Amino acid sequence: MLLLRKGGRKLEGESPAPNDRQTVRPPVISGAAQPVSSGTKAPSQMQSNTAVPLSGRASASTTVSGVPKLTDLEEAKLEQMRAAQWETKDVLSGVMKRFGAPIRYAFAYGSGVYKQAGYGGASKPMIDVIFAVSHPDHWHALNISQNRSHYSFMGTLGSNAVTFVQEKLGAGVYYNPFVEIDGVMIKYGVVSIDTLSSDLLNWDTLYLAGRMHKPTLTLRRDPLMRITKQVNLTHAVRAALLMLPKNFTSEELFQTIASLSFSGDFRMKIGGENPQKVQNIVEAQMPLFKSRYGSIIEGLSNLEYIGQDLLQQDMSPTARAAMVRKMPNNFYDGLVKQGRKSGIRLPPGLGAEAVNTERLVTVDNISGLATKAIETIVARPALTQSIKGILSSGLTKSFAYMYSKNSKYRSANEQK
C-alpha cells in the first residue's frame, strides 16, 4: 500500500494545495500487489493516452498530439534490441534455474545486456543481475549451502554475517561478481525486496532506483514492482525537468535522467567509470528510452512534445512548485537544505512546503540546487557500497573489477 502524507495526492490537472506533496513509504509485501490509494495514480492513470493542454504554452497548432511515433529507423533498431533481449533473457533464465533459493523479482542491466556506444565487440562484458528476495538471511543460508564458491571469505562466516554486511553497509545490496554459470559470466546482487521498493519510491540511496532509470531487462516479474517502477520513472522525469530549460530535445531529457545516478558518484571523479558513459548509454539506447518513458511523458500535464524530438515544459512557478511537492521527501529535504545554504529564506515545518517550493523554483540556480540535492543522496551510498565490495568480493575480485572499470576510463580518454 502506498501511504500518502495528507490524505492523498492531487491529480496533475488540479490546482495544488499547500500540502499536496506525497510521502511514499515501502509498501506492505505479502506476495500480491496491494490496492493503490484512491489519491495515487496507478500505472494506467500515469499512461493516459490524452495529453492535457497547458496554459501559457505553445498553441495547439504548434504542438504534437501525444507522443510522436518512432521513425522507421528507430522502429527497426528497437526490434533488433528486443530480439537481442529475448536471447539474453533466455540465457539468463537458464542461469537463474541454477539457484535453489527463492527469488521474488529479478532484472538485468548494464552494458552486458544493452550495447553502449564507444565500445567494440572484442570482449563480452559481465552481465549485471539483481535478485530481490523476501528474506535475505534465509536466502543467503540456502545459497551458501548450494553455491559456496560464489562467496568470498564472508561465506565462511555464515548467512548472518553476509546479511549484516548487505543491509548495514552501503545501499543494501550484496554483490557476488565474476561468477560463471553455464559459460555466462555474471555479477549478481542480492537485495531485500523491501529495500528495493523503498529506494524506488523514496529515493533512499538512488543506488538501484538510479540504475532502473535506464533500460533494464526483467527476468522475473512481481505485480508490486510494476507500480513502484512507474513511480520511480516519473520521479526521474520530474527531477530532470528541474534541471532543463523550457524547450529541450528528447536526447537532452534522457541524458539528464541517465546522469542522475552518476551525480555524486566518486567513481566518476577518480577514473572508476567511463566519463562518456551517460552519452554512450543514451546514444545507443535511444529507442528503448523513448519506449520506456513515452507513456510517462504523455501522462504529465506540465510536459508535452512540440516536435518529433522537441519537448516543452510548463515553467510557471505554480506548476513547477506542485511538481516538486510530488517528489520523494528525501529529494525535497535535500533541495531545501541546498536552498538554505545558498541564502534562500525557507521556513521549517510541513505547513511551509507550499511557500518553500514556490520560492525554490523561482531562483535562477534551481538546476544547480536540484543537482546538488541528487549528489547528496548518491554520494555516501555509492562510496560505502564500493568499499563493501572488498568484503563481499574479496581483494582479488575487487581489484579485477576496478581494473576493468579503469580500463574503460582510459580507453574513453584515448578516443577523445
Side-chain angles (χ1 to χ4, degrees):
M1 184 180 297
L2 304 182
L3 303 179
L4 306 180
R5 170 177 286 176
K6 293 286 185 178
R9 186 192 312 171
K10 290 286 186 182
L11 296 181
E12 292 284 352
E14 296 178 338
S15 299
N19 292 317
D20 65 351
R21 187 169 62 83
Q22 67 181 30
T23 295
V24 190
R25 298 184 177 85
V28 176
I29 303 201
S30 58
Q34 302 294 316
V36 182
S37 169
S38 60
T40 305
K41 284 186 179 180
S44 60
Q45 291 175 294
M46 292 184 195
Q47 300 174 17
S48 169
N49 291 323
T50 305
V52 182
L54 301 178
S55 59
R57 293 180 53 177
S59 65
S61 61
T62 62
T63 61
V64 176
S65 178
V67 176
K69 293 182 179 180
L70 298 179
T71 65
D72 291 342
L73 181 60
E74 287 174 330
E75 283 284 3
K77 190 174 181 180
L78 183 60
E79 288 303 312
Q80 291 178 347
M81 290 177 172
R82 285 175 173 166
Q85 280 181 336
W86 281 109
E87 292 180 8
T88 303
K89 187 171 184 177
D90 186 57
V91 170
L92 292 178
S93 294
V95 169
M96 288 181 63
K97 291 178 181 177
R98 299 292 186 179
F99 291 87
I103 299 169
R104 177 81 174 271
Y105 172 78
F107 68 93
Y109 66 95
S111 58
V113 181
Y114 299 106
K115 290 183 179 180
Q116 298 177 11
Y119 296 118
S123 60
K124 195 169 184 179
M126 181 167 55
I127 299 177
D128 296 307
V129 182
I130 292 293
F131 297 153
V133 304
S134 298
H135 306 288
D137 192 2
H138 177 63
W139 197 93
H140 285 298
L142 295 175
N143 198 48
I144 290 173
S145 176
Q146 180 189 10
N147 298 305
R148 172 63 186 85
S149 62
H150 295 181
Y151 291 80
S152 66
F153 71 93
M154 289 294 301
T156 62
L157 302 179
S159 61
N160 288 338
V162 171
T163 304
F164 178 86
V165 170
Q166 173 183 319
E167 298 191 332
K168 300 301 181 181
L169 303 177
V173 190
Y174 189 96
Y175 280 106
N176 284 325
F178 297 103
V179 175
E180 186 171 351
I181 301 175
D182 296 338
V184 181
M185 186 67 72
I186 68 170
K187 179 183 77 172
Y188 68 90
V190 182
V191 63
S192 160
I193 199 162
D194 288 350
T195 298
L196 175 58
S197 297
S198 182
D199 197 31
L200 294 174
L201 296 171
N202 302 320
W203 282 13
D204 300 320
T205 66
L206 269 174
Y207 191 83
L208 292 179
R211 281 155 177 75
M212 295 178 75
H213 291 160
K214 278 81 76 176
T216 59
L217 177 61
T218 301
L219 304 176
R220 182 163 297 171
R221 298 184 180 278
D222 181 87
L224 183 64
M225 294 306 300
R226 180 176 179 270
I227 300 172
T228 55
K229 285 193 298 183
Q230 288 294 99
V231 172
N232 178 48
L233 297 182
T234 305
H235 287 336
V237 174
R238 287 172 172 152
L241 292 180
L242 289 174
M243 304 174 187
L244 290 166
K246 180 175 182 178
N247 297 334
F248 48 89
T249 65
S250 54
E251 183 176 7
E252 289 172 328
L253 172 64
F254 299 139
Q255 285 194 0
T256 304
I257 290 172
S259 70
L260 295 177
S261 63
F262 297 109
S263 300
D265 190 336
F266 78 102
R267 295 176 301 172
M268 299 297 290
K269 301 176 182 178
I270 65 170
E273 281 287 2
N274 184 344
Q276 305 300 318
K277 191 175 184 71
V278 171
Q279 181 180 340
N280 291 340
I281 290 172
V282 176
E283 180 182 335
Q285 301 170 27
M286 179 63 79
L288 287 171
F289 274 95
K290 287 185 174 181
S291 175
R292 190 174 186 81
Y293 284 96
S295 60
I296 292 173
I297 292 172
E298 194 169 22
L300 294 175
S301 65
N302 62 325
L303 178 64
E304 65 185 356
Y305 275 92
I306 57 173
Q308 176 63 33
D309 278 306
L310 184 64
L311 297 100
Q312 185 179 89
Q313 64 168 313
D314 188 342
M315 297 294 285
S316 69
T318 300
R320 283 167 73 77
M323 180 178 72
V324 172
R325 289 195 293 272
K326 293 172 184 174
M327 294 293 289
N329 278 352
N330 207 23
F331 174 80
Y332 169 80
D333 292 342
L335 195 62
V336 169
K337 184 176 181 180
Q338 295 302 323
R340 287 172 178 157
K341 282 184 176 181
S342 67
I344 304 172
R345 295 186 63 182
L346 301 170
L350 297 180
E353 289 179 350
V355 173
N356 287 346
T357 53
E358 288 177 7
R359 288 181 182 176
L360 284 165
V361 299
T362 56
V363 301
D364 293 336
N365 192 34
I366 181 60
S367 174
L369 297 180
T371 300
K372 284 193 172 296
I374 295 290
E375 290 176 351
T376 302
I377 296 173
V378 171
R380 183 177 177 83
L383 175 61
T384 53
Q385 185 70 36
S386 295
I387 295 172
K388 183 171 74 175
I390 298 175
L391 294 176
S392 61
S393 307
L395 286 174
T396 302
K397 288 184 177 181
S398 293
F399 281 120
Y401 183 72
M402 287 188 286
Y403 178 80
S404 68
K405 288 288 187 180
N406 188 255
S407 295
K408 293 179 181 180
Y409 174 84
R410 295 196 308 270
S411 176
N413 284 334
E414 289 171 1
Q415 293 176 14
K416 287 184 179 179

